[in-house]
C-alpha cells in the first residue's frame, strides 16, 4: 500500500499531461491544460499530499521519500519558474545518480551499508551478501538515471512522460525481484533452521 501510494504523484503527472489542450471548468474557474507545465503543477501538489499520507499510513516519513519530494520541488519549481521542461526531465537522473553515489559510499562508511540498514532487521545474512546486494542497487540507480537522459534527449517529450511512469513501476519491480532472488537462499536456510530447531 505504501509503495503504491508513492506512485500516485507520477500517475497524476502522466494523466494531466495526456489532457494537454483540454479546458477544465469548475464552479466558474477555468483552466486550459498546458502540457508538461500543468502536469508539473499536478506533480507538486500531489507530492505535498503524499507526505502526510505516508505519515498517516506508517506513523513516519521515510528519508528516501523526503529526498524525492525535495527533488520534485526543486526541479519542478525550476521548470515552472524558467518555463523549461529540461529541469523536470533531469530530476529522475539527478535523484537516481545521487542514490547510486549514496549506496556506493555506504560500502566504505559505517558498520552497515545502506541496504543492510534497510533490510538487516528483517533477515540475517552474511555481510558479503549485503555488500553484493548494495552494489547491485548502486548499479541499478546509475543505470536508471542514465536511461532517463537517453529517453529525454533522444525521444519526444510525450515518449519521455510515458517512460517516466512505466519505467518507475518496472524498475522498482525489477530491483525487488533481483533482491529477492539474491536473499532467497538465506531465507530458505533460516526457515529450514527454524523448522529443525522446532522439532
Amino acid at each position: 500500500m505504501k509503495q503504491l501510494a508513492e506512485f500516485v504523484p507520477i500517475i497524476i503527472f502522466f494523466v494531466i499531461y495526456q489532457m494537454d489542450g483540454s479546458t477544465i471548468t469548475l464552479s466558474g474557474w477555468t483552466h486550459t491544460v498546458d502540457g508538461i507545465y500543468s502536469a508539473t503543477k499536478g506533480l507538486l501538489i500531489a507530492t505535498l499530499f503524499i507526505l502526510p499520507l505516508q505519515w498517516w499510513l506508517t506513523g513516519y516519513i521515510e528519508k528516501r521519500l523526503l529526498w524525492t519530494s525535495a527533488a520534485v520541488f526543486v526541479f519542478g519549481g525550476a521548470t515552472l519558474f524558467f518555463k523549461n521542461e529540461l529541469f523536470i526531465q533531469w530530476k529522475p537522473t539527478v535523484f537516481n545518480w545521487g542514490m547510486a553515489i549514496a549506496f556506493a559510499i555506504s560500502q566504505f562508511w559505517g558498520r552497515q551499508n545502506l541496504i543492510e540498514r534497510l533490510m538487516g532487521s528483517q533477515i540475517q545474512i552474511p555481510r558479503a551478501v549485503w555488500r553484493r546486494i548494495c552494489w547491485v542497487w548502486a548499479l541499478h540507480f546509475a543505470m536508471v538515471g542514465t536511461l532517463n537522459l537517453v529517453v529525454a534527449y533522444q525521444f519526444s517529450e510525450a515518449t519521455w512522460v510515458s517512460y517516466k511512469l512505466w519505467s518507475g513501476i518496472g524498475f522498482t519491480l525489477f530491483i525487488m525481484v533481483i533482491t529477492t532472488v539474491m536473499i532467497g537462499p538465506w531465507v530458505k536456510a533460516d526457515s529450514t533452521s527454524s523448522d529443525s530447531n522446532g522439532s
Side-chain angles (χ1 to χ4, degrees), residues 93-122:
T93 293
V94 172
F95 178 78
N96 280 290
W97 282 354
M99 291 294 288
I101 292 168
F103 272 79
I105 289 175
S106 76
Q107 296 276 46
F108 310 101
W109 194 341
R111 194 175 63 84
Q112 296 178 320
N113 60 38
L114 275 177
I115 195 70
E116 188 174 358
R117 287 180 216 167
L118 289 171
M119 302 176 64
S121 61
Q122 302 168 32

Side-chain angles (χ1 to χ4, degrees), residues 16-171:
I16 293 176
Y17 185 84
Q18 304 310 310
M19 298 168 62
D20 185 25
S22 302
T23 300
I24 301 169
T25 303
L26 184 64
S27 300
W29 173 82
T30 301
H31 176 74
T32 300
V33 178
D34 185 18
I36 200 165
Y37 302 111
S38 293
T40 299
K41 290 175 187 175
L43 178 67
L44 292 172
I45 293 169
T47 301
L48 269 179
F49 281 100
I50 212 68
L51 293 170
L53 178 61
Q54 189 182 80
W55 178 270
W56 180 70
L57 289 172
T58 65
Y60 66 95
I61 299 176
E62 293 181 351
K63 289 181 181 178
R64 181 180 55 81
L65 182 59
L66 286 174
W67 284 112
T68 303
S69 301
V72 167
F73 293 128
V74 170
F75 289 92
T79 281
L80 296 177
F81 185 80
F82 294 106
K83 284 290 181 182
N84 187 335
E85 70 280 359
L86 282 178
F87 288 104
I88 197 64
Q89 289 181 316
W90 264 87
K91 178 249 149 191
T93 293
V94 172
F95 178 78
N96 280 290
W97 282 354
M99 291 294 288
I101 292 168
F103 272 79
I105 289 175
S106 76
Q107 296 276 46
F108 310 101
W109 194 341
R111 194 175 63 84
Q112 296 178 320
N113 60 38
L114 275 177
I115 195 70
E116 188 174 358
R117 287 180 216 167
L118 289 171
M119 302 176 64
S121 61
Q122 302 168 32
I123 180 173
Q124 299 300 314
I125 62 178
R127 183 64 51 83
V129 178
W130 285 127
R131 292 182 65 81
R132 283 198 294 272
I133 296 173
C134 192
W135 281 123
V136 167
W137 278 60
L139 290 171
H140 165 80
F141 284 120
M143 178 190 69
V144 172
T146 301
L147 287 175
N148 176 71
L149 284 188
V150 171
V151 176
Y153 282 94
Q154 299 298 321
F155 297 90
S156 68
E157 182 184 278
T159 299
W160 176 80
V161 170
S162 295
Y163 172 81
K164 178 177 170 62
L165 172 64
W166 299 113
S167 70
I169 297 170
F171 282 128

